[in-house]
Amino acid sequence: MFTAFLIKYAEIGIKGRNRYLFEDALIHQIKHALKKCDGRFMISKTQGRIYVDAQTEFDFDEVVEHLKRVFGISGICPVVYVEDEGFEKLCDTVVDYIADVYPDRNKTFKVNARRARKNYPKDSMTINMDMGEMILKTYPEMKVDVHNPDILLNIEVREKIYIYSEIIPGPGGMPVGTGGKAMLLLSGGIDSPVAGYMIAKRGVKIDAVYFHAPPYTSDRAKQKVVDLARIVSRYTGPIYLHVVNFTDIQLYIHEKCPHEELTIIMRRYMMRIAEHIAKENDCLGLITGESIGQVASQTMSSLIATNEVCELPVYRPLIGFDKQEIVEVAEKIDTFETSILPYEDCCTIFVAKHPVTKPNVNIIRRHEQNLEEKIQELVKTALETAELIIAE
Ligand code: ATP
Ligand code: MG
């Protein structure tokens, strides 16, 4: 029955003179999302509205599912449109529409007509009244409520006439690409994919970096990260995932530094390397899945130690989340099942029994000096041998 969708957007409506940039980015993201659906679609922008018109047969549920992942969309209205063949014919269509969409008609309604094409013989008020009357005649169980109707029946008169009344909620947020780009430190865990999702939701394009340590971490652990990047890319568009071999760096830190400080020092190197790749790729920030107190390396003292090696801002959208709250988002965005697959993300030899929970930055810095020039070489090699995988 439906052949088009009216796309409603919230926040981008308030961007003043830059509004068209946001609308164009939204259209771009919608096009990208619909590429994966069967059928051909035309996306158009008229008078502050975005329409998706199906030009072929399509699967309604599939299209809605994909549109629900496009940040910037606040609502998706399935539209029936008809040629203008006179008011009576239009009323017949509306009656059929109500029968199809509302099997239970014990509802209140209001007709909300908009005459965008001014040569239509009835003005908006007259359409509202005449159509309301006709609906009441056909369905006596329905009632008019102009203030708070159950069904707001929109009739838009353009070249064709558009009928819609249902709003399927979209994900909200801002279209990806309107907020610059940031580098996500993506591990195989539950948290970092959620962190990437949350920053992307604010319109930020995402690149990612994964540190792996073969043979201590397996190919399957790496594949899991690629799979996670792919799931997140359903919302963000393609993710450029840099896979950095971290083994020699970890072994060298293990050899030279106190074991209870291993995690912190390793994390400082991860941040440095991630920042290097971020800057090379025009990223304006780093993103991690850290939340205060979750593990020893995420106490506020530990965060001081990992933070101080970066110049770029580090975005930690989960900082105040409990694990359960993170899990809820992971389930919603479909990363949870993949995240909990058992493949190790770090070998036990690299995890101290009693890691420091209140590292002193000065002491950490001093111990890092145990690492001689060789660490620079190892970092250089890790950067040079990084593998790029496009997850989409
Ligand atoms: P996650 O569930 O995201 O793995 P976590 O609770 O296991 O997080 P940590 O292992 O302390 O926490 O990691 C904190 C953050 O550091 C992660 O959220 C992620 O952003 C980053 N990180 C950790 N390990 C890696 C890795 N191997 N590659 C890339 N980033 C990593
Ligand atoms: Mg982890």
Side-chain angles (χ1 to χ4, degrees):
M1 167 170 65
F2 297 108
T3 47
F5 297 90
L6 166 65
I7 303 299
K8 299 211 166 197
Y9 42 86
E11 267 181 76
I12 59 175
I14 57 174
K15 294 295 168 189
R17 280 196 301 160
N18 286 334
R19 177 171 166 155
Y20 77 97
L21 291 176
F22 289 81
E23 289 171 337
D24 291 351
L26 183 57
I27 289 172
H28 181 84
Q29 292 302 116
I30 292 173
K31 279 187 183 152
H32 182 80
L34 293 180
K35 257 190 224 152
K36 298 204 168 139
C37 299
D38 284 337
R40 256 188 313 117
F41 305 90
M42 203 181 68
I43 296 146
S44 56
K45 182 168 85 170
T46 42
Q47 298 169 2
R49 281 158 181 249
I50 294 175
Y51 282 99
V52 174
D53 284 297
Q55 310 204 289
T56 55
E57 294 275 291
F58 69 100
D59 179 337
F60 180 85
D61 292 336
E62 183 188 44
V63 168
V64 168
E65 189 193 327
H66 281 75
L67 290 174
K68 276 169 115 174
R69 295 194 197 120
V70 178
F71 295 135
I73 295 182
S74 72
I76 304 156
C77 306
V79 177
V80 168
Y81 59 56
V82 288
E83 298 291 341
D84 177 14
E85 294 171 325
F87 190 69
E88 266 179 34
K89 196 74 196 289
L90 176 62
C91 288
D92 291 346
T93 311
V94 170
V95 163
D96 292 345
Y97 175 96
I98 293 175
D100 280 350
V101 182
Y102 303 103
D104 169 17
R105 283 183 290 280
N106 251 316
K107 290 188 187 320
T108 59
F109 76 98
K110 173 186 175 181
V111 180
N112 180 36
R114 220 175 100 161
R115 188 176 61 157
R117 174 160 62 80
K118 295 296 172 206
N119 67 0
Y120 193 75
K122 288 179 193 271
D123 66 15
S124 305
M125 281 306 283
T126 318
I127 299 174
N128 288 345
M129 282 179 350
D130 293 357
M131 191 170 289
E133 201 171 300
M134 184 277 310
I135 292 171
L136 286 172
K137 215 182 282 165
T138 318
Y139 300 120
E141 65 274 39
M142 295 184 79
K143 287 192 191 65
V144 172
D145 181 344
V146 290
H147 299 297
N148 195 14
D150 298 328
I151 304 169
L152 182 65
L153 188 68
N154 295 283
I155 309 289
E156 277 186 33
V157 181
R158 298 167 178 271
E159 261 328 290
K160 293 183 179 173
I161 299 172
Y162 294 67
I163 305 162
Y164 64 92
S165 59
E166 288 290 281
I167 303 183
I168 302 163
M174 310 278 267
V176 168
T178 55
K181 187 161 69 161
M183 179 65 74
L184 169 66
L185 282 86
L186 181 61
S187 71
I190 296 169
D191 307 334
S192 43
V194 172
Y197 167 89
M198 289 184 62
I199 297 295
K201 187 171 174 198
R202 297 306 304 160
V204 177
K205 191 167 163 34
I206 304 288
D207 280 356
V209 57
Y210 166 58
F211 296 93
H212 80 144
Y216 303 104
T217 58
S218 64
D219 268 353
R220 289 165 79 194
K222 172 176 151 188
Q223 186 56 45
K224 176 176 150 180
V225 174
V226 176
D227 292 343
L228 284 170
R230 211 168 269 148
I231 299 171
V232 176
S233 81
R234 291 180 196 154
Y235 303 89
T236 61
I239 294 180
Y240 283 53
L241 171 65
H242 302 263
V243 180
V244 175
N245 187 327
F246 205 52
T247 313
D248 292 341
I249 296 173
Q250 274 185 324
L251 288 172
Y252 187 56
I253 298 172
H254 186 254
E255 181 191 322
K256 295 281 184 183
C257 301
H259 289 180
E260 62 279 9
E261 287 170 7
L262 205 67
T263 309
I264 293 287
I265 296 178
M266 261 167 37
R267 294 202 42 74
R268 284 162 64 94
Y269 275 93
M270 283 188 187
M271 299 303 271
R272 289 180 174 113
I273 292 173
E275 178 171 66
H276 187 97
I277 304 174
K279 285 181 173 170
E280 272 183 349
N281 289 279
D282 304 321
C283 293
L284 303 175
L286 302 175
I287 306 165
T288 73
E290 289 158 314
S291 110
I292 294 176
Q294 199 189 75
V295 287
S297 58
Q298 297 178 24
T299 62
M300 293 226 282
S301 310
S302 299
L303 290 170
I304 291 179
T306 33
N307 210 46
E308 72 140 11
V309 299
C310 302
E311 277 172 17
L312 288 178
V314 181
Y315 295 104
R316 301 180 172 92
L318 309 183
I319 202 70
F321 276 42
D322 292 347
K323 196 71 184 185
Q324 188 50 37
E325 292 169 313
I326 302 171
V327 166
E328 276 163 26
V329 184
E331 282 174 335
K332 185 179 89 181
I333 67 173
D334 232 19
T335 51
F336 184 70
E337 292 298 319
T338 306
S339 287
I340 58 171
L341 293 174
Y343 317 128
E344 74 297 336
D345 73 8
C346 186
C347 175
T348 45
I349 68 157
F350 296 120
V351 179
K353 273 214 191 69
H354 301 289
V356 282
T357 53
K358 289 207 181 90
N360 175 313
V361 189
N362 295 319
I363 298 174
I364 299 279
R365 269 194 222 129
R366 196 175 331 127
H367 289 154
E368 245 180 23
Q369 280 166 12
N370 298 353
L371 304 165
E372 291 142 28
E373 228 128 90
K374 182 173 164 193
I375 192 75
Q376 300 310 329
E377 308 256 308
L378 293 177
V379 167
K380 191 161 165 262
T381 309
L383 286 167
E384 282 166 3
T385 57
E387 178 193 4
L388 177 63
I389 297 173
I390 299 175
E392 58 188 334

